[in-house]
Amino acid sequence: MNLTPEQIQGNWIELMNYIEKYISEPRKENILAFYDQYSERLMLMPAAHKKEYHNAFPGGYVEHVLRVIRCAIKQATLWEEEGCDMSTFTTEELVFSALNHDLGKMGSEDEDSYIPQTDNWRREKLGEDYMFNTKVPFASIPDRGLFLLQSHGISYTFNEMIAIQTHDGLYDKANEKYLMPYMPEQKPRTSLPFILHQADLMAARIEFEREWLPRLKEGKKSGDKQNTNFTLGNKPNMSKKLSTKTKALGSFKSEGLKNIFNSL
């Protein structure tokens, strides 16, 4: 998928409008200053480095964040309707957490995390339009995002810290200490982390479906055709019989896997 320059610009304006509407002073000024300072980088960032994930295209990051914000607001309404105690967090905390949940994907203050892929084979066969920038020291996405916020004087609440830290839910084993305790007093005192995780999961799934379901459906249609090449007497033409290796290659959807298997 590709976004037009107008769509990228429109998404950025929408993101700034969420900050203006939901984030209060005094930290609003610092957040707006931060996003303005890194606007060009953030505006054009992908949300991932390869197509098999989600929104791995210029402008994909902001589009993903906008969807997470919208989904978080809608999820909060659903949770409230079903009896969730909404007094344990604020709408500002909800939007702030959604806004910055993946901020660590930006990289460092000087270097992007995702840079254009220089290996043509990986780009063409594995769908990796981007690669990780080795100039950026390793840190988890939540840790780096929280570091960027505090290093620019942007304060966050305890609720926001836990929500951003655990937004990947139990897909990240590091979150078990927060999300899998057995004692009531050790469980989160707010549903904010769960609401944010569900919003992020919903957004990423929708973005995956948009990119891949049409391709998978098309692949299924083309795969329905069967080889009916037989000689007289309904006996298979052994001279045209596929080798075991060729059959195996035909079962792979990924061009990358096909190339790897073919080299064995």
Side-chain angles (χ1 to χ4, degrees), residues 221-230:
K221 290 178 182 178
S222 62
D224 286 342
K225 297 179 181 180
Q226 297 180 353
N227 187 351
T228 55
N229 186 13
F230 294 100

Side-chain angles (χ1 to χ4, degrees), residues 6-17:
E6 292 76 19
Q7 288 173 317
I8 291 174
Q9 181 65 33
N11 286 342
W12 184 255
I13 293 172
E14 184 179 349
L15 193 70
M16 295 303 99
N17 287 339

